[in-house]
Structures are given as C-alpha cells and as structure tokens.
Amino acid sequence: MSDQTTLCNNFDIRNIATANPSPRMKFQNIHLLLMTVPIFLGTSYVAAKIGMQQLLPLNLVILRFVVASFVFTLILLLKKGTSSIDKKDIPQFFTLGFFAITSFFYIHYTGLQYTTSTNAGLIMATTPVFAALFCIITKKEKVTTRSRIGICIAFMGVLLVISQGKFGDLFHQKTLLGDGLLILNALVWAWFTLKGKTVLEKYSPFTAMAYIHISGTILLLPFAFFPTVFAETSLLQQLPTISRATLLATAYLAVFCSVYSYFIWYLGISKIGAVKTAIFSYFNPIMAIVAGILFFDDKLTLSIALGGLFVILGVYITNQKNALSSDNTISAK
C-alpha cells in the first residue's frame, strides 16, 4: 500500500516527537518507531494463542476488534474534519472489512490452533508474493523476471517450513491443516492489499483502515450473542469465565497490534516512503520465531531456519520497487 498522504495533517503526533526536532532527530524517531512494529506483529501470534486458551477463535476475533474499533472511533472523533467518508463508499468498506477483518482473522486464529507461531509468522510473510501472483494472473501490473524469481524462492522456503525438509511426508505433517489455513489467509490478505488501493487513493491510510476495522467488526457483532457452527459457545457466554491474562492478551492485540501498529506503519510511509517502510516487515517472521521459542518452546530446526531465510529473501526480491512495472509497492500486514 503506497498512499503517500501525510498522516500528520490527520492525526496529532506531537506527543510522539519533540518540538521542532532536527532532520537527524526526525530520522531517528521514525526508524525507532518502525522497529517497534515487527515486535508487536511478530508477537501477536503468541498473544493470540494465549487468548485462545480460554476463548474460541471467533470469540477472540470479536473481542479484539470490538476493542480496536472503539479506540479507532475515539481517534476519528478527535480528528478535525478529515474522518468522514462518502456514503457511496460504505458498501466498499464493508466488503473490504469482511475480507480483512471478519473472515481473515477467523481463518487466522483457527489456523493458529493447528500450527506453531514460527510457521505462522513465516507463512504470513509470503503475502507480497501472493499479491504479485495475482498481478500475473489478472495482468493488472507487469511482473518482472526478478519478481518471478522472488516468488519461486519464497515458495521453496514455505515448502521447507511446512514439510520440515521431509517432502515425501508433506501431507502427513501434524501442522498441515494449520499451515494450509494460513496459506489461505495470506491469499485473502493479498487480495485485500490489491483491492484496498481503491480506497487509499481517496482517503488517508489511517482513516481507511479505521473504517475497514469498524465495518468488519459490525459484521462480526451478531456472532457474539448466539452459538453458531463457527463457535459452539458465544462470546457472551464465555466472557464471565475469562481470566485477566486473556483480557490482557486481547487488549494487546487490539491496541498494539491493530491501532498502534497501523498508525506507525502508515506514518512511516508518509515520512520515509513505502519502499523503505516495507523493509521493516522482513523482521516480522524473525520476531515470530523468537517469540515462539521463548513462550511455546517451538523448535528452531535447520529446515525452519533455511526456509525462513528463503521466505525473507523471496519476499524482499518480490517487494523491490522495480519488481513491478507500477510504482506501487505491495506490502503485507
């Protein structure tokens, strides 16, 4: 997503930076802030697994985005004259909200139940690769040879991670179901990345993402009150029994992984450009691996380490500015 709209005009960041900082201080501030985003996004897998110890995947999704949407709404209300959207765009925001929030995170959290945090972080890092594949299929943007090479390298990495280097036993791996769901997740997010460009051409990134979150949350709300095939126990039934740890994990996901990370990410785009900002996304799978090892005793095998390197290298090559004929850089969440 390469909207270069300056977020400073739409959101008060005076509490983040010092008054009238020098160019060198501005450079240091934004890069330091961007370094915090992979920490939150990489550890989001751990927080989600903690939350799902007591909450069903769909219920965790609902609770996370109710909190996130509440915070987004407060920020939009505090903004001056730049937070409204045209009524004709409401259906588009609900469509994007369905794919980016309602369906995406239900698939995401369900997949996390059947795989490791390490695998999840590495597989989700391939989103820009799938976005480039969609460009090839739809012929909306010309994909260069460099990008095609990056796609092949990243897929080799994913295959190594999923198979653990035992390609003959690929369909017998314990994490196959979870890995498959997360690959589907990466496809959904890649589609959203391309479709989301339409609203980013009209609205600031923060405003667009706020309304996408709110729209997706509205679609989730009916599932909070009644048991369904997606959650045999409703959120309303589970709420009285959840612990402080689950509430803290949910708040962490909502405030730091949704609201804060999105704001800093798009602030980075406005300050140093999409290409330089996208580089920081390559730290996400690394943080996911570290968090998985520290909190869940995930094993860092040679296959995962080698596969992870392939994924990061492939995504890096695919995400280069001249990998696509368009100036737009495709970046993953």
Side-chain angles (χ1 to χ4, degrees):
M1 299 179 183
S2 56
D3 191 324
Q4 300 298 315
T5 304
T6 303
L7 296 183
C8 295
N9 296 329
N10 302 322
F11 192 85
D12 186 2
I13 58 167
R14 285 173 295 179
N15 293 328
I16 295 178
T18 58
N20 299 320
S22 66
R24 178 179 177 81
M25 182 63 71
K26 287 182 179 179
F27 175 88
Q28 292 175 338
N29 282 348
I30 192 58
H31 284 77
L32 287 173
L33 287 171
L34 282 170
M35 280 300 297
T36 66
V37 174
I39 295 174
F40 292 125
L41 296 184
T43 54
S44 67
Y45 305 102
V46 173
K49 287 207 167 192
I50 292 172
M52 286 188 293
Q53 290 176 359
Q54 289 187 310
L55 287 173
L56 294 172
L58 180 61
N59 293 339
L60 178 60
V61 172
I62 296 170
L63 189 57
R64 168 182 175 173
F65 287 103
V66 165
V67 176
S69 294
F70 177 75
V71 177
F72 271 123
T73 301
L74 286 179
I75 295 172
L76 289 174
L77 291 173
L78 292 172
K79 292 168 67 176
K80 298 179 179 179
T82 57
S83 60
S84 60
I85 58 173
D86 291 340
K87 290 182 179 179
K88 65 180 181 180
D89 293 328
I90 292 176
Q92 188 172 14
F93 275 106
F94 271 95
T95 300
L96 292 171
F98 172 78
F99 283 97
I101 305 299
T102 312
S103 63
F104 177 86
F105 280 95
Y106 173 67
I107 298 170
H108 187 79
Y109 288 172
T110 303
L112 271 175
Q113 288 187 310
Y114 303 102
T115 189
T116 65
S117 300
T118 298
N119 283 23
L122 292 172
I123 292 171
M124 287 308 299
T126 62
T127 301
V129 174
F130 286 117
L133 277 175
F134 283 143
C135 289
I136 294 174
I137 295 169
T138 61
K139 298 181 180 179
K140 288 186 176 180
E141 294 181 5
K142 182 180 178 182
V143 180
T144 64
T145 301
R146 172 182 289 187
S147 185
R148 294 171 192 269
I149 292 172
I151 290 169
C152 293
I153 292 173
F155 272 125
M156 286 175 59
V158 170
L159 197 59
L160 265 173
V161 170
I162 295 174
S163 67
Q164 289 288 297
K166 301 175 182 177
F167 297 105
D169 297 331
L170 177 62
F171 294 101
H172 300 286
Q173 294 295 324
K174 293 180 180 179
T175 61
L176 182 63
L177 175 59
D179 294 338
L181 287 170
L182 286 165
I183 289 173
L184 175 61
N185 230 23
L187 283 165
V188 170
W189 190 262
W191 180 90
F192 163 75
T193 300
L194 297 179
K195 286 294 182 180
K197 288 181 180 180
T198 55
V199 295
L200 287 173
E201 290 170 357
K202 187 173 182 179
Y203 302 100
S204 74
F206 187 88
T207 298
M209 292 309 301
Y211 278 100
I212 288 170
H213 274 72
I214 294 168
S215 300
T217 303
I218 291 172
L219 294 174
L220 282 168
L221 277 178
F223 296 97
F225 303 101
F226 307 101
T228 64
V229 293
F230 303 107
E232 61 271 19
T233 306
S234 70
L235 175 61
L236 196 62
Q237 293 172 312
Q238 285 196 305
L239 267 180
T241 64
I242 61 177
S243 65
R244 182 181 296 180
T246 301
L247 286 173
L248 288 174
T250 304
Y252 180 86
L253 289 167
V255 176
F256 293 104
C257 302
S258 289
V259 180
Y260 173 85
S261 293
Y262 277 111
F263 167 61
I264 296 301
W265 191 257
Y266 290 115
L267 177 63
I269 290 175
S270 73
K271 290 292 187 183
I272 62 174
V275 175
K276 292 181 180 179
T277 301
I279 299 297
F280 288 86
S281 68
Y282 306 139
F283 293 103
N284 291 353
I286 296 173
M287 288 305 306
I289 291 172
V290 172
I293 292 172
L294 291 177
F295 292 98
F296 292 112
D297 294 324
D298 288 355
K299 304 300 181 184
L300 182 60
T301 64
L302 178 61
S303 298
I304 289 177
L306 188 59
L309 288 174
F310 279 7
V311 166
I312 295 170
L313 177 61
V315 171
Y316 176 79
I317 292 173
T318 305
N319 211 37
Q320 289 299 289
K321 187 174 182 180
N322 59 349
L324 300 176
S325 61
S326 168
D327 289 334
N328 293 326
T329 299
I330 299 171
S331 60
K333 176 181 176 185

